[in-house]
Amino acid sequence: MPDTSRAHALELDARDPLAGLRKRFRLPAGVIYLDGNSLGALPDDVPGALDDVVRQQWGVGLIRSWNDADWWNAPTRVGAAIAPVIGAAPDQVVCGDSTSVQLFNTMIAALRMRPGRNVILTDPATFPTDAYLADSVARLCNAEVRRVPAAEAAAVLAADGADIALAAYNHVDYRTGELRDLAGITAAAHAAGALVLWDVCHTAGAVPIDADAHDLDFVVGCSYKYLSGGPGAPAFLYVARRLQQDFDPALTGWHGHAEPFAMESGYRPADGISRGRIGSPPLLNMLALEAALGVFAETDMAAVRAKSLALTDLFIACADELGLEVATPREHALRGSQVAVRHDAAHPIMAALIDRGVIGDVRPPDILRFGFNALYVSYADVVDAAAVLGDIVATGAHLDPKYAVRSTVT
Ligand SMILES: Cc1ncc(COP(=O)(O)O)c(C=O)c1O
């Protein structure tokens, strides 16, 4: 039986090699924050950096900062800073726009890059924006969306992949926290002549992705979850170097032009990853993200993953002791960085938890989600949060009518 005592959790914290990174984040007193899988905590470096961007670079530098503060190159510079976190060489990642925009742009590019094939293979349980965009792209491009669960995708690609242009999957199931077989689906897609697009919103900064080692084609992820870039922080796009000259995105904005300031009347794509740029980037968000990424230079993804698995192991052991149903796989190879607990009263239980300072979130119909960012969550947080959860369920505190109200976000 795993030791779920607080004394043991404190021992684990005392020998945690990442414990020192917690002070790089501003966590409010009295809060155990287990929702970094939705919105990461505020990094300590961000307020000062943003203050400089606003007062100095914008306020004093004005338009000159596009050159003097190198605003122009921020999308590729910040992309290069994200690259090591996802296991990519730097010239393959560009930062900008939203996950949804990047997914749309890349799905169309993939169809254009595989003429003669007209199927997008995706998961029926994919995140809604991915599903909605695939359907819209299919309508625009006269293509078809084929919905196949991730567990069956490799077999379908092998048996029936001749018309599949793109396999577009989430690296982690946003409800259950199940980690998908990125290597297997990618290899099967390539063997079938298809491209792959991985949505890594729930793994970037939490789970090694090894984009280059796995020979991925396209990767899109957000930066406001485990990368802690802040609300609305821009997404990123990885395009493997070997595909960049053929990358033919739908959104041919002027920032992706070979010579943006030539103001030519026709579009000529830039070389390399810069053709993934679209229009003026959200610089305040992007430069906040750049400051947030500094912490990743002080650790590596193997250490982050090892702690994340230990934290989620401990939380699963606590949930087992409480007799709760854990929806997240127990095998490390199948687990992202969150633990999902199934309960008919998920909403009121989460409302009661938040009232007591333990912040997670819920997904319909019955999932309580607890995200564990190894950079700032401690082992003591895990057992303390589980104790509060256990107390609520045992006493029925969540049955108080004040917890019956549904919130829109959590
Ligand atoms: C897997 C996944 N894809 C996409 C998104 C959201 O896309 P966007 O950043 O455009 O809102 C989320 C948001 O939680 C997500 O979990």
Side-chain angles (χ1 to χ4, degrees):
M1 280 294 278
D3 186 347
T4 57
S5 69
R6 191 158 206 280
H8 181 60
L10 290 174
E11 272 171 39
L12 294 173
D13 282 328
R15 25 175 227 267
D16 171 14
L18 301 189
L21 297 179
R22 184 177 168 97
K23 64 177 183 314
R24 303 289 308 275
F25 294 85
R26 296 191 184 179
L27 295 161
V31 163
I32 298 177
Y33 194 58
L34 304 181
D35 212 6
N37 54 323
S38 230
L39 175 67
L42 170 64
D44 193 45
D45 287 342
V46 166
L50 262 187
D51 191 69
D52 179 64
V53 170
V54 172
R55 290 179 202 278
Q56 188 61 35
Q57 298 184 17
W58 178 12
V60 178
L62 294 165
I63 192 87
R64 293 169 291 190
S65 288
W66 281 101
N67 294 316
D68 297 351
D70 204 23
W71 282 355
W72 182 263
N73 291 312
T76 45
R77 190 179 69 240
V78 178
I82 293 169
V85 179
I86 64 163
D91 57 340
Q92 301 168 99
V93 183
V94 67
C95 181
D97 302 282
S98 69
T99 316
S100 300
V101 169
Q102 296 289 7
L103 290 169
F104 173 83
N105 212 19
T106 307
M107 285 180 195
I108 291 186
L111 286 168
R112 289 176 172 179
M113 291 162 74
R114 285 291 180 272
R117 293 171 177 245
N118 73 336
V119 173
I120 299 176
L121 191 71
T122 194
D123 197 322
T126 195
F127 188 80
T129 207
D130 305 57
Y132 305 157
L133 289 162
D135 286 340
S136 177
V137 166
R139 282 200 289 142
L140 268 172
C141 300
N142 244 333
E144 177 200 325
V145 178
R146 199 171 292 162
R147 291 188 157 80
V148 170
E152 295 157 34
V156 167
L157 281 156
D160 194 17
D163 55 358
I164 298 174
L166 177 71
Y169 280 82
N170 295 174
H171 196 191
V172 155
D173 181 299
Y174 73 99
R175 287 195 181 89
T176 64
E178 180 173 341
L179 187 65
R180 305 305 195 193
D181 180 10
L182 177 138
I185 294 175
T186 300
H190 288 173
L195 294 161
V196 280
L197 166 57
W198 285 99
D199 176 336
V200 299
C201 282
H202 284 275
T203 47
V207 178
I209 293 164
D210 297 327
D212 285 347
H214 289 303
D215 203 23
L216 304 186
D217 300 316
F218 306 116
V219 178
V220 166
C222 71
S223 68
Y224 47 74
K225 299 182 191 288
Y226 294 98
L227 298 179
S228 297
F236 63 87
L237 165 69
Y238 163 98
V239 180
R241 199 182 290 129
R242 66 189 150 72
L243 296 175
Q244 289 174 2
Q245 278 312 105
D246 296 325
F247 184 58
D248 188 4
L251 299 171
T252 48
W254 73 294
H255 282 230
H257 193 278
E259 284 185 81
F261 290 96
M263 304 289 168
E264 292 173 7
S265 54
Y267 185 75
R268 280 192 297 124
D271 282 335
I273 193 62
S274 292
R275 75 174 56 179
R277 297 180 61 158
I278 302 171
S280 298
L283 274 161
L284 300 185
N285 275 156
M286 194 176 283
L287 298 177
L289 167 62
E290 184 170 34
L293 291 171
V295 71
F296 285 95
E298 292 169 39
T299 181
D300 60 68
M301 287 311 300
V304 170
R305 175 65 169 158
K307 181 176 171 189
S308 154
L309 286 170
L311 291 168
T312 50
D313 276 343
L314 183 59
F315 192 76
I316 289 173
C318 293
D320 285 345
E321 276 179 10
L322 295 172
L324 295 170
E325 182 187 345
V326 174
T328 304
R330 280 145 203 280
E331 302 90 313
H332 285 177
L334 296 180
R335 193 191 309 159
S337 199
Q338 78 182 45
V339 175
V341 170
R342 250 186 236 290
H343 199 290
D344 288 343
H347 247 284
I349 290 173
M350 185 51 70
L353 277 166
I354 292 172
D355 217 15
R356 288 157 179 74
V358 178
I359 302 180
D361 62 21
V362 290
R363 288 294 174 262
D366 57 359
I367 295 274
L368 293 132
R369 296 195 310 178
F370 301 94
F372 297 86
N373 186 325
L375 301 177
Y376 53 78
V377 175
S378 69
Y379 294 93
D381 286 340
V382 171
V383 295
D384 289 349
V388 177
L389 175 60
D391 183 63
I392 290 169
V393 176
T395 61
H398 59 287
L399 301 174
D400 187 316
K402 72 179 173 182
Y403 299 130
V405 181
R406 278 175 163 259
S407 113
T408 50
V409 177
T410 58

